[in-house]
Amino acid sequence: MTTLKRVDVHVEGIVQGVGFRPFVYSLANRLGLTGRVHNDANGVHIEVEGAHTGVAEFLTALERDAPALSEIERVTVVSGEPAGHSEFTIAASDPSGTRHALVSADSATCDACLRELADPADRRHRYPFINCTECGPRFTIVRGVPYDRLLTTMAGFGMCDDCAREYHDPGDRRFHAQPTCCPACGPRLRLRDARGTELCGDPISCAVTLLRAGRVVAVKGLGGFHLAVAAADERAAATLRARKHREDKPFAVMAADLAQARRLCEIDDAAAALLTGRARPIVLLPRRAGAPVATSVALGNRSLGLMLPYTALHHLLLAELAEPLVLTSGNVSDEPIAYEDADALTRLGGIADAFLIHDRAIHTRADDSVVRRMSGEVTVLRRARGYAPEPLVLRRPAPRPVLACGADLRSTFCLAQGRRAFVSQHLGDLDKHDTLRSFVEGIDHYCGLFGIRPEIVAHDLRPGYLSTRHALEIQGVEHVGVQHHHAHIASCLADNGESGPVIGVAFDGLGHGTDGTLWGGEFLRADLTGFERLGHLACVPMPGGPAAIRQPWRMAAAYLRDDHPDLDVARRHADHWADVAAAPGSPLTSSAGRLFDAVSALLGVRDTITYEGQAAIELEQRADPAETGVYPAAVTGPGPLLVQGGDLVRAVAEDLAAGTDPGVIAGRFHNGVAAAITRACVTLRQATGLTAVALSGGVFQNVLLLERTVERLRAAGFRVLRHVRVPPNDGGISLGQAAVAAARS
Amino acid sequence: LAHGAGGQATHTLIEAIFLEAFRNPMLAPLDDGALLTLEGERAAFTTDCFVVSPLFFPGGDIGDLAVNGTVNDLAMCGAVPRHLSAGFILEEGFPVADLRRITASMAAAASAAQVTIVTGDTKVVPRGKGDGCYITTAGVGLVEQPSALSASAARVGDAVLVSGPIGEHGAAIMLARGDFDIEAPIASDTAPLHGIVAELLDALPGQVRTLRDATRGGVATVLNEVARASEKAVILEESAIPVRPEVTGVCELLGLDPLYVACEGRFVAVVAAEHADRALDLLRRHPLGGDAAIIATVAADPAGLVLLRTAFGGTRVVDVLVGDPLPRIC
Ligand SMILES: [Fe+3]
Ligand SMILES: [Mg+2]
Ligand SMILES: [Zn+2]
Ligand SMILES: [Zn+2]
């Protein structure tokens, strides 16, 4: 007999609720080792003993073959004396100690569960709530840690004997699957009409009948309610728009499978991988000509937000309907998505004709995530279901725990401790009371889940932000104000695991500057601890302040003033054009978003908007991507570089007056902005010696602009950082604030 | 800096500087005026400074504004205004004709409000050191019916009324500045409110919890004061807020929210729910309350916040204005 070896292994990371213990159990058995494994509050603890070679192989395979949903962050191994275990066992959880075990994100139904779902002989045949250790609800149903059924919204469903047997069988793929259930013991699906009366018959078949008849059905999903109509049904889509008071913002579409998805959009391998991945986000994809989708689904947009089913309920619904479905957030206007039953029935009562609903509560609201491929890489534009609350890793660890409160639009918060940064799911706009509540309660929930007690609270400099107000109301902590655009660049640095210094190009709508003006077209020398404003778009007045944001034509007036009185936009607003252009007391801004607004209005794309960023989004859609012409813009110093956006606007006006096609003009404008950014960066490289550029801010959600900018910067010899895992928009601000606060402390 | 905007910045300034320096129990509630007992008589005492540009505007001028402003502050304490003082800071070279015009309208306003201007003072500052004319008024009034009117007195279920359409004074001033070539028939709402208030208090003794004139910072600021002081929620119905279409139009053009625009002749009253209809009826029958409306209710949750229920059924937080009236946009 060879010498026996014994090790105690502690595994940290996302290792609970992901099938980690069964994996360890079968690995140990396969290698003929004995010992035991259990969850503790910090992760998974393993005692394993046996032959030297077996134990060595065990340690290698532990990380190499770990379950797909797991994410190992740290493995600690301590050698000890063999205890003489006769077999390998899975012991009960140990809830003591501090809480660092990670809660994983919700995950799309796995293939094994899908096979059972489709198998008439299986006891979970057509059961909408099928799940296992590899898939199903996680974050949205978790009330507390350790991750255990009693601390989820499944607590009220007592397991039947069959489910309990699987749950306790280490060899079963549902071993310790906390949300496991079946038709005998689990949640039940119901279809109700708008008055709450239950409709009889099979809920899914009934819902399909209603959808085919052009009705609006509210569907309770994983992180909230959706509103569904058949995607090809123009009347139904228009009805949904009218009832929801959502005038223009595109709807997302769910297709039954890849084959159906390919009829709607151009899908290459990378896109297919995103669509079928565990996170199952909405993927923005180029729409196919003649795709069977109603016009009202995505007005004036060349792309479509597409996703595939991520719960068994969606699979069943889509399979039976056999055509794509609009699946848009269950809300009115731009309110947060409804997720509580009673609230949904009230708020969506005037919108939905029926409710496909169930009795498993959603504890935490999580919208669908949105991703887009930009310049060859994936960028998350809205990070929520499927991604949150999994942590990002900080390059510079936070020596003291940090809470970062983010910005007020596209709000997220971020908790950082050590190397982990937990960015919350997308919450929405904080001036909606429901969102504010999610923000305040969410901070508590995350603090509890991850055992973090913030000692530093980071916030935006803008005193009027509700997020800032909340940050400052927290007592007994150190407050750290972080300038908005510095936070954008820090967010991009953290996203890329870097710490700078870089030339940061922060282009967004606006943020509070340090000089009393509103910034938004910024060139910064930035690292995680500080920044210097090296240049910016030349300032223009924002006539009427907030009115200029709602009415992009005002920005055209601010840029052009008395030039080009013959332009259509000036004629359309002749009554107030001169007043607005000369409006006194208008705040000054260097905003890039407002520059795009001006051009959008000039080209007749958008005079007024119904959602944030609409004018720029539609301008991008209008631009001819084949256009290679470039409008010039002066970049002048000394002192802070000034990029003359006005030059671009005047070039647009001149071409327009000369009768040039608006698509060509929009293309030349995008190219002009990219060229101006590059020229400014080249000048700043001479001054600073910096050769890396970080691009951040909501304006860089514009694929055309991002691609042209990245191309030009790379051609000029720069290394370019852009967003990947957190959005370039204000959804990324909290991570940036946290990274800055961590680096400064 | 932004400290004059009438919102959070002013509030912070007041708390940081004045409350700290002058700390005493009568100042602490930061109500519009102070209630005193002098020789056994209950009196109210208040003061206000008036800085407005232009000095003359449709519907009034700095003179009647200075009288009505102080009269109204006394009225909001439940007092009957009696005597006023007036202090003038004049810029060297200020036209005598203008001063005559201002004093004439002060006299007219005082006589309409049945108060007498009993004392005053005048200082002249060098050219360029003042904005033509600043006026400070102080006033005393008698409290005949003791009541505990306070922003902190609001109770769950109470109704919140506004005495007329909002935003007219502020909109009139913006137009009168002449920066915009807009013609709109909007005049300042400046008016003495003690008459209409007295009727309300007489008719509903003990049922009126709070009275506030919606001056700087507008109705939104008053409601926030109520929500914070009472630690209750104020739930506003967007569709119930009376705003004249011309005011809506001007505000839209100037990028203002009428909820934050100043009034000089409108007040907000928090009234016990069961007497709300009676109060409304009473206000509407008064010449200064023709378009009075019930605009909000007081609720328990979320304490300290004002929520606006929009026409679509959304719920927006109506916060105190901080600095410039800009939205919280990216
Ligand atoms: Fe931003
Ligand atoms: Mg006053
Ligand atoms: Zn599964
Ligand atoms: Zn069961």
Side-chain angles (χ1 to χ4, degrees):
Chain A
M1 185 130 185
T2 54
T3 51
L4 283 182
K5 181 175 170 68
R6 136 104 186 215
V7 287
D8 277 38
V9 187
H10 197 256
V11 189
E12 287 167 72
I14 299 167
V15 289
Q16 292 189 8
V18 292
F20 205 86
R21 286 172 304 164
F23 155 71
V24 170
Y25 174 87
S26 62
L27 178 64
N29 279 328
R30 184 163 62 76
L31 296 171
L33 304 172
T34 61
R36 58 191 202 129
V37 57
H38 67 96
N39 281 347
D40 64 16
N42 294 305
V44 166
H45 191 84
I46 309 164
E47 297 159 31
V48 63
E49 57 195 49
H52 243 290
T53 49
V55 170
E57 172 58 18
F58 178 88
L59 291 174
T60 312
L62 186 69
E63 291 192 59
R64 188 187 61 207
D65 304 335
L69 277 189
S70 68
E71 202 150 316
I72 296 178
E73 286 193 347
R74 187 158 62 175
V75 178
T76 320
V77 181
V78 181
S79 297
E81 280 301 308
H85 287 288
S86 58
E87 55 175 358
F88 197 91
T89 54
I90 296 182
S93 295
D94 168 17
S96 65
T98 50
R99 299 177 164 187
H100 292 297
L102 300 188
V103 174
S104 62
D106 303 276
S107 177
T109 313
C110 72
D111 291 342
C113 285
L114 285 180
R115 278 192 295 274
E116 292 176 356
L117 187 70
D119 177 3
D122 194 275
R123 67 192 189 88
R124 292 189 182 85
H125 178 229
R126 290 182 62 79
Y127 182 55
F129 306 98
I130 188 168
N131 67 77
C132 71
T133 48
E134 297 271 314
C135 75
R138 293 291 187 278
F139 173 62
T140 53
I141 61 164
V142 167
R143 294 186 200 275
V145 283
Y147 175 61
D148 197 78
R149 188 181 184 94
L150 287 177
L151 288 173
T152 72
T153 62
M154 284 299 293
F157 298 94
M159 271 182 245
C160 69
D161 291 347
D162 288 338
C163 284
R165 201 171 309 118
E166 292 167 348
Y167 180 88
H168 291 294
D169 175 2
D172 195 277
R173 62 186 197 84
R174 292 201 170 81
F175 177 70
H176 281 208
Q178 305 302 343
T180 190
C181 55
C182 75
C185 66
R188 222 188 97 196
L189 194 64
R190 288 178 172 85
L191 187 70
R192 297 167 145 194
D193 68 14
R195 285 191 308 277
T197 313
E198 191 168 344
L199 302 172
C200 41
D202 175 56
I204 288 180
S205 303
C206 258
V208 165
T209 307
L210 288 172
L211 289 165
R212 287 215 179 102
R215 299 302 165 84
V216 179
V217 178
V219 180
K220 185 177 177 183
L222 213 43
F225 279 75
H226 282 117
L227 291 161
V229 291
D233 188 335
E234 174 56 37
R235 251 193 25 183
T239 303
L240 179 55
R241 272 205 186 281
R243 291 187 191 167
K244 239 174 94 76
H245 296 284
R246 173 146 154 168
E247 288 164 57
D248 307 302
K249 209 174 183 176
F251 288 150
V253 171
M254 183 179 271
D257 49 32
L258 264 183
Q260 201 179 70
R262 286 187 206 279
R263 292 208 289 276
L264 305 180
C265 291
E266 313 278 349
I267 298 171
D268 58 15
D269 289 351
L274 280 172
L275 282 168
T276 56
R278 289 170 185 286
R280 276 311 137 100
I282 294 170
V283 187
L284 300 183
L285 291 165
R287 181 176 181 165
R288 249 181 214 286
V293 171
T295 317
S296 301
V297 170
L299 298 155
N301 215 304
R302 289 193 291 234
S303 58
L304 201 59
L306 196 61
M307 62 181 150
L308 294 184
Y310 52 85
T311 68
L313 170 57
H314 295 128
H315 278 286
L316 294 169
L317 191 61
L318 269 289
E320 188 152 340
L321 184 67
E323 58 174 304
L325 206 54
V326 160
L327 218 50
T328 186
S329 47
N331 56 12
V332 185
S333 190
D334 50 359
E335 288 289 306
I337 177 169
Y339 71 106
E340 291 156 318
D341 294 350
D343 181 50
L345 288 167
T346 318
R347 276 166 63 196
L348 308 180
I351 304 177
D353 299 305
F355 289 79
L356 193 55
I357 206 164
H358 59 76
D359 50 354
R360 184 183 70 209
I362 298 169
H363 184 70
T364 301
R365 164 173 33 222
D367 290 75
D368 292 319
S369 295
V370 179
V371 308
R372 188 172 193 181
R373 277 215 300 148
M374 302 177 74
S375 185
E377 276 194 80
V378 177
T379 295
V380 174
L381 298 180
R382 184 166 76 193
R383 189 178 177 278
R385 177 192 49 79
Y387 296 98
E390 287 170 10
L392 297 137
V393 177
L394 292 178
R395 182 184 174 89
R396 286 228 204 140
R400 288 189 289 153
V402 177
L403 163 67
C405 291
D408 272 20
L409 279 193
R410 298 166 203 273
S411 160
T412 60
F413 58 83
C414 175
L415 283 166
Q417 179 161 273
R419 295 184 61 120
R420 287 177 185 156
F422 299 92
V423 178
S424 77
Q425 77 278 20
H426 161 91
L427 300 170
D429 300 346
L430 284 189
D431 71 340
K432 312 292 182 298
H433 174 243
D434 231 23
T435 313
L436 186 62
R437 208 185 53 168
S438 295
F439 172 80
V440 174
E441 292 173 0
I443 290 173
D444 275 353
H445 186 50
Y446 272 65
C447 283
L449 285 185
F450 304 114
I452 297 176
R453 289 173 63 93
E455 291 173 22
I456 299 172
V457 175
H459 57 82
D460 198 88
L461 295 183
R462 182 148 181 187
Y465 269 159
L466 290 163
S467 54
T468 305
R469 182 170 150 187
H470 182 79
L472 296 176
E473 278 170 5
I474 301 173
Q475 315 243 310
V477 294
E478 181 186 334
H479 289 102
V480 176
V482 182
Q483 197 279 328
H484 189 87
H485 301 93
H486 181 211
H488 268 306
I489 300 304
S491 166
C492 185
L493 287 172
D495 195 347
N496 287 277
E498 304 212 5
S499 50
V502 289
I503 299 171
V505 182
F507 273 31
D508 69 353
L510 8 128
H512 197 89
T514 54
D515 62 353
T517 65
L518 297 163
W519 295 7
E522 309 307 309
F523 294 84
L524 313 177
R525 180 196 199 280
D527 57 21
L528 291 181
T529 49
F531 76 98
E532 185 186 349
R533 192 189 198 199
L534 299 179
H536 56 88
L537 284 180
C539 286
V540 288
M542 225 170 83
I549 296 167
R550 295 191 299 268
Q551 302 172 5
W553 69 266
R554 288 169 182 255
M555 291 312 301
Y559 268 105
L560 286 179
R561 295 176 159 263
D562 301 334
D563 294 353
H564 299 282
D566 300 336
L567 287 176
D568 282 347
V569 66
R571 278 208 215 96
R572 285 197 298 275
H573 302 280
D575 287 359
H576 300 302
W577 184 266
D579 285 337
V580 158
S586 291
L588 289 177
T589 185
S590 55
S591 163
R594 299 292 87 78
L595 172 64
F596 276 76
D597 283 356
V599 172
S600 188
L602 262 177
L603 294 184
V605 177
R606 270 286 149 193
D607 278 359
T608 58
I609 57 167
T610 64
Y611 65 91
E612 200 222 341
Q614 183 179 14
I617 289 167
E618 293 185 3
L619 180 66
E620 178 195 352
Q621 296 300 317
R622 187 65 72 83
D624 178 357
E627 175 59 35
T628 55
V630 184
Y631 293 135
V635 177
T636 57
L641 280 188
L642 287 183
V643 177
Q644 299 295 338
D647 292 354
L648 300 173
V649 179
R650 275 185 295 278
V652 167
E654 275 155 28
D655 266 1
L656 193 62
T660 311
D661 172 65
V664 169
I665 297 177
R668 290 175 183 169
F669 168 72
H670 278 80
N671 296 339
V673 175
I677 289 172
T678 307
R679 282 193 45 213
C681 288
V682 167
T683 307
L684 294 174
R685 178 169 59 193
Q686 283 157 9
T688 62
L690 297 173
T691 57
V693 176
L695 304 176
S696 189
V699 170
F700 286 112
Q701 294 174 98
N702 180 322
V703 174
L704 187 61
L705 177 71
L706 185 81
E707 291 187 346
R708 295 293 148 91
T709 307
V710 170
E711 275 164 29
R712 282 175 184 271
L713 285 170
R714 285 194 179 139
F718 285 102
R719 194 165 65 85
V720 183
L721 306 179
R722 7 87 39 103
H723 282 271
V724 183
R725 296 168 300 169
V726 294
N729 60 46
D730 280 9
I733 287 287
S734 66
L735 176 67
Q737 291 170 345
V740 170
R744 280 185 190 164
S745 73
Chain B
L1 213 87
H3 289 289
Q8 182 67 47
T10 317
H11 197 79
T12 310
L13 182 78
I14 290 170
E15 290 201 337
I17 312 276
F18 300 122
L19 202 54
E20 186 58 36
F22 306 143
R23 187 166 295 284
N24 70 61
M26 275 184 282
L27 182 61
L30 291 177
D31 281 322
D32 276 343
L35 288 174
L36 321 164
T37 307
L38 290 175
E39 317 266 319
E41 290 289 329
R42 287 170 53 91
F45 181 45
T46 187
T47 184
D48 221 333
C49 307
F50 295 85
V51 173
V52 62
S53 168
L55 297 171
F56 302 95
F57 45 83
D61 59 41
I62 191 172
D64 42 29
L65 210 57
V67 171
N68 290 336
T70 290
V71 164
N72 291 346
D73 280 353
L74 290 170
M76 296 307 132
C77 305
V80 179
R82 288 294 182 82
H83 308 294
L84 262 51
S85 74
F88 296 84
I89 295 173
L90 302 173
E91 189 179 347
E92 189 186 344
F94 185 69
V96 174
D98 283 356
L99 190 58
R100 285 231 166 80
R101 213 176 136 189
I102 290 169
T103 47
S105 66
M106 287 180 82
S111 121
Q114 294 157 296
V115 294
T116 45
I117 298 174
V118 291
T119 180
D121 185 39
T122 303
K123 294 282 185 293
V124 176
V125 296
R127 212 180 274 276
K129 296 275 164 93
D131 218 357
C133 172
Y134 301 144
I135 302 178
T136 299
T137 53
V140 289
L142 287 179
V143 182
E144 283 158 7
Q145 259 194 17
S147 62
L149 290 170
S150 168
S152 60
R155 295 184 205 164
V156 172
D158 285 354
V160 181
L161 292 87
V162 65
S163 65
I166 64 172
E168 285 166 29
H169 174 74
I173 293 290
M174 294 296 279
L175 290 188
R177 285 188 186 154
D179 299 327
F180 291 89
D181 189 23
I182 307 168
E183 306 241 336
I186 302 177
S188 169
D189 49 32
T190 178
L193 294 170
H194 62 296
I196 185 171
V197 162
E199 283 191 28
L200 188 65
L201 292 177
D202 288 348
L204 301 170
Q207 303 302 329
V208 180
R209 323 256 198 234
T210 312
L211 290 173
R212 281 286 159 111
D213 53 344
T215 54
R216 275 186 320 178
V219 168
T221 302
V222 169
L223 297 180
N224 268 284
E225 282 168 12
V226 170
R228 287 187 184 188
S230 65
E231 293 173 29
K232 305 281 186 303
V234 174
I235 317 291
L236 255 176
E237 284 302 330
E238 186 174 47
S239 58
I241 303 167
V243 192
R244 295 224 161 104
E246 308 86 72
V247 172
T248 307
V250 167
C251 285
E252 175 62 24
L253 199 66
L254 302 183
L256 302 172
D257 183 342
L259 272 176
Y260 294 94
V261 175
C263 313
E264 288 291 343
R266 308 283 181 237
F267 66 95
V268 168
V270 181
V271 179
E274 60 272 31
H275 299 282
D277 288 339
R278 174 93 200 282
L280 181 65
D281 195 49
L282 215 125
L283 292 181
R284 282 188 173 166
R285 269 193 262 140
H286 193 279
L288 286 175
D291 290 317
I294 298 175
I295 57 169
T297 49
V298 177
D301 192 58
L305 286 183
V306 179
L307 302 185
L308 179 77
R309 269 219 286 267
T310 63
F312 296 156
T315 314
R316 191 160 64 78
V317 178
V318 178
D319 204 7
V320 182
L321 207 56
V322 185
D324 298 320
L326 277 171
R328 27 192 121 257
I329 197 112
C330 157

